Amino acid sequence: MKQNYNLEKGYLKVNEIHEIYYEVCGVGEPYLFVHGGPGAGFSEKDKRFFDFEKHKVVFFDQRGASKSKPFTSIEQNTTQDLVDDINLLLSYLKIERINIFGGSWGTALSLVFAIQNPEKVKSLLLRGLFLANKTTIDHFVGGGLKKEYPKEWNRFINNVPANSTLTISAYYLDQMLNGTLENKEFYCYEWAYYEISIFKKGIQENEIDTILKEFPYYSLSIMEAHYLSNNCFLEDNYILNNCKVLETIPTIIIHGKNDAICPVEYTEEFHRHLENSTLYIEDAGHSDSEPEIEKRIITVLND
């Protein structure tokens, strides 16, 4: 049931700089999988949610992420660029309307795409909602976690000199891009370590190291710092202020009640703004690998 038959894969040149990697798996109802980060890329594990006998799923790596080229490039890499890429990819694949499943940052990108292209979106499935506004960005990289996760926060913040005039995100990004090779490696690792250390309930240190060995965290770290230091290239509260456009799109939200990265109260606020939405709050954190989150996603997709 989970075999990736009818597999199409390749690169789509979206401008003079970037080529995005994509795969199409299965037959049936069309879905677009929008990965998180920014910069995380999609993985083979993401395919476990779908039944490829019922779902035709488009997976793609956003600009600079994972298999897309050039790797870690932040040039011409903004939220609007990524929205334009989705439009190009769907047009290239001759898909006029599609269901969208986004996780974490992928929820923000999915929502911006839907706000700009409501006629192309059949439904939205959002896991670990991130509103990409100043409030949610500041929570993650501006000290919102220092009381709940003091050890993790202090490890993260102590890598930024007290006399730095840059924001935390901007300082990390500068070191990742312009530092020595040793500094680039250190700051990429520390950024990713901070995120993974708080994204799942009860995560252990050896589990963090294992996860970091499993995916290309350089693109995650650089792209997240790039986007967050630029307020995700969106007007503040862009998503909340444009919810009315989404009212005709059936929307399901799945969120962990103990999500440290994207607190559930912001998701509840979004849910109140969007009348045509269903919210499932699960006993979990931010990760889609937590049993209750994973079970709910599979149930919704295969209902």
Side-chain angles (χ1 to χ4, degrees):
M1 189 170 88
K2 294 294 183 182
Q3 65 181 5
N4 303 339
Y5 61 88
N6 287 10
L7 178 65
E8 176 187 345
K9 60 183 178 181
Y11 284 89
L12 177 64
K13 192 167 180 63
V14 292
N15 71 358
E16 68 276 8
I17 296 172
H18 291 277
E19 294 180 67
I20 60 169
Y21 177 74
Y22 72 92
E23 294 183 11
V24 184
C25 303
V27 294
E29 186 66 18
Y31 273 86
L32 179 72
F33 181 84
V34 185
H35 69 70
F42 74 89
S43 72
E44 287 299 309
K45 286 185 177 179
D46 295 321
K47 296 175 182 178
R48 74 192 186 277
F49 298 116
F50 300 97
D51 179 347
F52 293 128
E53 292 179 354
K54 296 196 304 186
H55 304 134
K56 176 182 178 180
V57 188
V58 180
F59 300 91
F60 74 106
D61 291 328
Q62 295 155 31
R63 293 191 186 194
S66 195
K67 293 180 181 177
S68 287
K69 299 183 287 191
F71 182 58
T72 73
S73 173
I74 64 169
E75 191 175 355
Q76 294 182 32
N77 197 329
T78 69
T79 302
Q80 189 59 54
D81 290 322
L82 303 186
V83 168
D84 294 344
D85 291 350
I86 293 173
N87 269 314
L88 281 171
L89 182 59
L90 294 181
S91 176
Y92 175 75
L93 296 171
K94 297 180 171 55
I95 299 172
E96 293 183 2
R97 294 185 73 230
I98 198 162
N99 304 281
I100 300 181
F101 171 25
S104 193
W105 154 254
T107 65
L109 180 55
S110 298
L111 285 164
V112 175
F113 177 82
I115 287 165
Q116 294 185 13
N117 304 274
E119 74 286 354
K120 296 182 181 179
V121 182
K122 297 175 78 171
S123 71
L124 288 165
L125 173 56
L126 309 171
R127 188 275 309 165
L129 184 73
F130 175 58
L131 291 173
N133 57 6
K134 191 173 187 304
T135 301
T136 51
I137 292 169
D138 284 349
H139 171 80
F140 181 44
V141 290
L145 287 155
K146 61 186 175 184
K147 288 184 180 177
E148 190 178 359
Y149 290 92
K151 183 181 76 170
E152 291 81 1
W153 173 253
N154 287 331
R155 173 170 172 162
F156 184 61
I157 189 68
N158 285 343
N159 296 320
V160 179
N163 62 353
S164 172
T165 58
L166 299 173
T167 64
I168 297 166
S169 297
Y171 185 86
Y172 265 80
L173 181 62
D174 181 61
Q175 291 298 313
M176 293 176 201
L177 297 178
N178 305 313
T180 64
L181 283 175
E182 185 179 353
N183 273 10
K184 288 177 182 178
E185 165 62 35
F186 176 81
Y187 279 89
C188 282
Y189 184 86
E190 287 298 310
W191 181 285
Y193 188 96
Y194 169 63
E195 176 165 350
I196 301 304
S197 70
I198 59 175
F199 93 134
K200 185 176 177 181
K201 260 196 345 175
I203 194 166
Q204 301 299 309
E205 195 158 337
N206 63 333
E207 194 179 352
I208 300 170
D209 290 326
T210 300
I211 291 168
L212 288 174
K213 288 172 183 171
E214 289 178 349
F215 76 101
Y217 64 80
Y218 274 80
S219 59
L220 171 79
S221 300
I222 291 171
M223 227 54 65
E224 280 193 353
H226 169 58
Y227 272 75
L228 298 185
S229 62
N230 286 285
N231 297 314
C232 293
F233 302 97
L234 294 169
E235 294 174 15
D236 197 29
N237 288 320
Y238 176 85
I239 292 170
L240 288 175
N241 291 341
N242 288 281
C243 274
K244 194 145 191 75
V245 180
L246 305 170
E247 285 182 355
T248 60
I249 302 172
T251 301
I252 293 177
I253 309 158
I254 300 170
H255 207 95
K257 69 179 180 181
N258 299 307
D259 191 327
I261 294 174
C262 300
V264 69
E265 57 262 34
Y266 302 134
T267 296
E268 290 171 330
E269 179 186 8
F270 173 79
H271 176 53
R272 287 193 296 270
H273 273 71
L274 188 60
E275 290 182 10
N276 193 22
S277 64
T278 302
L279 173 60
Y280 295 101
I281 298 175
E282 306 296 343
D283 184 16
H286 187 69
S287 172
D288 65 13
S289 67
E290 291 174 85
E292 296 305 314
I293 297 279
E294 185 176 68
K295 181 179 174 183
R296 179 67 69 182
I297 292 169
I298 293 170
T299 299
V300 167
L301 284 171
N302 295 280
D303 198 7

